Amino acid sequence: MEKPRSWGQGPTSRAYAVMKRMISLRDERINAKDRAKGPVKKKKEDPSAIKERERDVPRVPHPSCLFFQYNTQLGPPYHILVDTNFINFSIKAKLDLVQSMMDCLYAKCIPCITDCVMAEIEKLGQRYRVALRIAKDPRFERLPCTHKGTYADDCLVQRVTQHKCYIVATVDKELKRRIRKIPGVPIMYISRHRYNIERMPDDYGAPRF
């Protein structure tokens, strides 16, 4: 008499937990348009590169120098980042940059000019030679730039985002709108043939007009 077959033996046994073999998406038998591409290598981001779009400005956590609306890194002597248009409009208004800054803030001021701003003034040509001569004044502090290109607005926004010890001097509406989104950075502008300051705490002695 034939012995009964045990479970799992012979052709009548069922195979459990067996997965169907699926063809790989990289297989050559698949059409070229449906075939998956290989892994894309990501390029390493250059930390010194400037991001040209406003929405790409990095959102850094609030720095420790900000105490409510006060920026503890601000104080005399004030370091003021000067824009290209600020120099041109100061010449039109017949204002001496250093003296007018001190008249506005009642303290010693050090105008700072970046390589980007200097390159923009040089590109403007012979017509703006007076602005170039003012920018090369020995009282101005020269700030080197490590990024590529000469777009000064992005350079200034990136610099004041990382370092909260500057005041931005500009008359450009678009740049002022971008600077206002960065907490703790005052803005110097020209109004009524004099320099005015915006977003400066009262305890720092800034005049109010």
Side-chain angles (χ1 to χ4, degrees):
M1 185 175 179
E2 187 180 356
K3 294 182 180 180
R5 294 178 180 177
S6 61
W7 183 260
Q9 293 181 356
T12 58
S13 62
R14 297 181 180 179
Y16 288 91
V18 177
M19 296 181 64
K20 294 182 180 180
R21 293 186 179 181
M22 298 181 65
I23 188 170
S24 175
L25 293 176
R26 299 179 190 171
D27 199 293
E28 297 179 356
R29 292 172 286 180
I30 300 178
N31 294 334
K33 61 179 182 178
D34 299 330
R35 195 178 307 158
K37 297 180 180 179
V40 181
K41 293 183 179 179
K42 294 183 179 180
K43 295 182 180 180
K44 293 184 178 179
E45 294 184 359
D46 188 4
S48 62
I50 286 187
K51 299 178 179 179
E52 297 183 358
R53 297 182 181 179
E54 181 182 352
R55 63 174 179 268
D56 293 334
V57 175
R59 293 184 179 180
V60 296
H62 292 290
S64 58
C65 65
L66 292 179
F67 183 73
F68 294 105
Q69 73 268 27
Y70 298 103
N71 184 358
T72 58
Q73 287 188 356
L74 279 177
Y78 294 104
H79 291 75
I80 303 174
L81 284 174
V82 181
D83 190 20
T84 307
N85 291 330
F86 190 83
I87 299 177
N88 295 332
F89 276 83
S90 298
I91 296 172
K92 292 180 180 180
K94 298 181 180 180
L95 295 172
D96 180 78
L97 269 81
V98 180
Q99 186 61 43
S100 299
M101 287 177 180
M102 290 191 292
D103 293 342
C104 177
L105 294 173
Y106 304 141
K108 182 180 179 181
C109 299
I110 302 175
C112 302
I113 189 164
T114 62
D115 291 342
C116 298
V117 176
M118 186 67 73
E120 279 190 355
I121 298 174
E122 290 174 353
K123 286 181 179 180
L124 292 175
Q126 195 69 13
R127 185 179 177 182
Y128 295 89
R129 61 184 180 275
V130 179
L132 182 61
R133 187 165 65 248
I134 292 175
K136 292 182 178 180
D137 194 301
R139 295 176 294 178
F140 280 55
E141 182 179 341
R142 187 72 176 267
L143 300 178
C145 296
T146 58
H147 57 80
K148 298 178 182 179
T150 58
Y151 191 55
D153 288 3
D154 287 339
C155 176
L156 297 177
V157 170
Q158 186 187 49
R159 198 175 289 270
V160 297
T161 303
Q162 296 175 350
H163 310 286
K164 296 293 190 298
C165 58
Y166 295 110
I167 298 172
V168 180
T170 181
V171 293
D172 189 356
K173 292 182 180 180
E174 181 65 22
L175 181 57
K176 287 197 288 187
R177 186 179 64 83
R178 296 175 64 179
I179 296 296
R180 288 189 187 105
K181 295 182 179 181
I182 306 172
V185 182
I187 300 172
M188 182 176 285
Y189 61 98
I190 302 173
S191 177
R192 299 177 184 176
H193 295 277
R194 64 188 304 172
Y195 291 168
N196 294 331
I197 197 75
E198 179 184 328
R199 301 173 67 197
M200 194 76 168
D202 296 334
D203 291 355
Y204 288 165
R208 289 288 178 268
F209 298 109

